[in-house]
Amino acid sequence: MTQVDIAGLTKRYGGTLALDGVALQARDGELVSLLGPSGCGKTTTLRCIAGFLTPDGGEIRVDGQDIVALPPQKRDFGVVFQNYALFPHLTVFQNVAYGLQVRRIAPAEQQKRVAEALALVRLTGLESRLPRALSGGQQQRVALARALVIRPRLLLLDEPLANLDARLRDEVRWLIREVQQQAGITAFYVTHDQAEAMALSDRVAVMKGGRVVQFATPREIYQRPAEAYVARFTGEANMLPARPAQRLAEGLWRVAIGETVLEVPGATTLAEGASALLMLRPEALSLAPTGVPARVLAAAFLGASQQCDVALADGTRLRLQASPHLAVAPGDAVHLAVDAAHAWLMPDIAP
Ligand SMILES: Nc1ncnc2c1ncn2[C@@H]1O[C@H](COP(=O)(O)OP(=O)(O)OP(=O)(O)O)[C@@H](O)[C@H]1O
Ligand SMILES: [Mg+2]
């Protein structure tokens, strides 16, 4: 049972404010990703949780207890970094057993727990290998076993797949999720890869300049981003300046794109008449016999779909995902159907 509550976390490196009031939670057994571009404070947040860095302010509560003053070795957290950091001169067994030796666990118990951990990450049989005789994916699985063998209260992973090629990344990613769920371990996972964060996480904290700008499920951050920054960071998005003309109900707005009036869901933080942005993901737009008139600028056949760039009468450019069965070519006059239920209206906040 491990529940984490982080509030008002700040950290300064000289003149740089790296963390500016980070707030985050993880429920028992939850995997929470920290997602954001380079330099937004993901690693700094994780290192504060691990205890390798002391924050300048804020609190980190684990099951109600503030751990900021607790040294890292007393936190009982398992940590996995991007660059495996295995001991090169120790075998796989010795690498995994290391944390148990430090904790003075009896040798027979060490044997048993190392065997269990290696079975979890599917490395049984490689106990006597040295790290240099392992592939990158295998080394990263040893690092995962080493973090798990101590039965950590919390698992912390900082871009653990960054050094792996695409195929291995996929394999180790699913293994991490499977092991984390099987063992029911609460985990924080740092990544700048939105697909990875969406596929793995129960909840995602999207970070921007040392702050968490949205903390929600993958579905929520993709379909209902709090601001344009989140929308763009979580996938392709057309953004149209809009002025919500009328509030129809809580979270439902009437907006116009040119001559076409739409009823779309939107953030509750919007104010009537204030400037807003209408997000239309490419899959919320399609080519139709009638609808918003547009002209095709470019079309690319992708097999399962067709990526199509179009311009509206006023010059606005949109990207849409069209059926691969339609023949479209640059210059064609077309009409767009808008799936208004999957559009999203959000406040216009500077990126
Ligand atoms: N030891 C340090 N000294 C000075 N500034 C630092 C130090 N470590 C990090 N920073 C700065 O703090 C900010 C946050 O860095 P952090 O490493 O947390 O980012 P990140 O989100 O993990 O980025 P990346 O995706 O590149 O790993 C950046 O502006 C970075 O330059
Ligand atoms: Mg980092």
Side-chain angles (χ1 to χ4, degrees), residues 285-290 296 306 308 310 320-323 326-328 334-337:
L285 293 168
S286 56
L287 299 177
T290 60
V296 175
Q306 183 164 213
C308 198
V310 301
L320 64 105
Q321 212 168 296
S323 158
L326 294 171
V328 276
V334 293
H335 289 95
L336 308 183

Side-chain angles (χ1 to χ4, degrees), residues 261-298:
V261 175
L262 298 169
E263 289 180 9
V264 299
T268 48
T269 49
L270 282 165
E272 215 151 344
S275 62
L277 289 171
L278 181 67
M279 176 187 81
L280 296 166
R281 295 280 189 196
E283 64 271 22
L285 293 168
S286 56
L287 299 177
T290 60
V292 184
R295 192 163 293 278
V296 175
L297 298 172

Side-chain angles (χ1 to χ4, degrees), residues 40-58:
C40 71
K42 306 179 296 291
T43 295
T44 303
T45 303
L46 205 77
R47 292 181 72 85
C48 286
I49 302 173
F52 305 140
L53 269 179
T54 307
D56 297 326

Side-chain angles (χ1 to χ4, degrees), residues 62-313:
V62 176
D63 296 332
Q65 181 205 2
D66 192 349
I67 57 156
V68 166
L70 209 61
Q73 67 276 14
K74 293 233 167 110
R75 297 189 184 194
D76 274 329
F77 297 167
V79 184
V80 181
F81 291 116
Q82 168 173 349
N83 50 352
Y84 335 120
L86 300 178
F87 299 114
H89 57 287
L90 297 185
T91 64
V92 167
F93 180 92
Q94 290 164 335
N95 263 286
V96 177
Y98 182 78
L100 300 176
Q101 275 174 12
V102 172
R103 287 172 175 76
R104 304 193 187 285
I105 305 289
E109 177 70 10
Q110 283 188 30
Q111 289 278 354
K112 181 172 155 269
R113 281 170 64 174
V114 172
E116 274 170 17
L118 288 176
L120 264 179
V121 301
R122 303 197 194 105
L123 285 178
T124 306
L126 299 186
E127 289 79 357
S128 51
R129 291 263 189 104
L130 287 171
R132 66 167 178 272
L134 296 173
S135 73
Q138 288 169 333
Q139 290 183 47
Q140 203 52 318
R141 277 145 64 193
V142 176
L144 183 60
R146 191 177 57 177
L148 291 169
V149 79
I150 61 162
R151 294 182 184 151
R153 298 173 75 189
L154 189 63
L155 185 60
L156 303 173
L157 305 121
D158 191 351
E159 310 234 16
L161 312 179
N163 287 340
L164 306 181
D165 66 44
R167 198 184 52 79
L168 271 180
R169 207 158 38 226
D170 211 47
E171 187 187 310
V172 179
R173 173 203 292 173
W174 293 117
L175 181 77
I176 288 174
R177 182 56 162 161
E178 189 186 312
V179 166
Q180 179 265 334
Q181 284 187 322
Q182 231 173 54
I185 303 177
T186 310
F188 284 103
Y189 188 102
V190 163
T191 180
H192 61 261
D193 179 337
Q194 58 93 7
E196 198 168 294
M198 307 250 282
L200 273 179
S201 318
D202 295 299
R203 285 191 292 171
V204 180
V206 182
M207 294 187 66
K208 167 181 158 186
R211 299 185 66 90
V212 174
V213 288
Q214 190 167 12
F215 183 42
T217 63
R219 190 179 287 272
E220 185 93 4
I221 59 161
Y222 185 81
Q223 295 180 339
R224 302 176 159 237
E227 54 180 275
Y229 172 90
V230 177
R232 293 212 176 86
F233 206 77
T234 50
E236 249 188 281
N238 299 294
M239 293 292 181
L240 302 183
R243 232 168 244 289
Q246 198 186 341
R247 179 189 218 133
L248 300 170
E250 178 76 2
L252 189 66
W253 297 86
R254 180 169 288 156
V255 288
I257 311 180
E259 304 293 302
T260 311
V261 175
L262 298 169
E263 289 180 9
V264 299
T268 48
T269 49
L270 282 165
E272 215 151 344
S275 62
L277 289 171
L278 181 67
M279 176 187 81
L280 296 166
R281 295 280 189 196
E283 64 271 22
L285 293 168
S286 56
L287 299 177
T290 60
V292 184
R295 192 163 293 278
V296 175
L297 298 172
F301 179 73
L302 303 176
S305 70
Q306 183 164 213
Q307 180 177 297
C308 198
D309 290 342
V310 301
L312 304 183

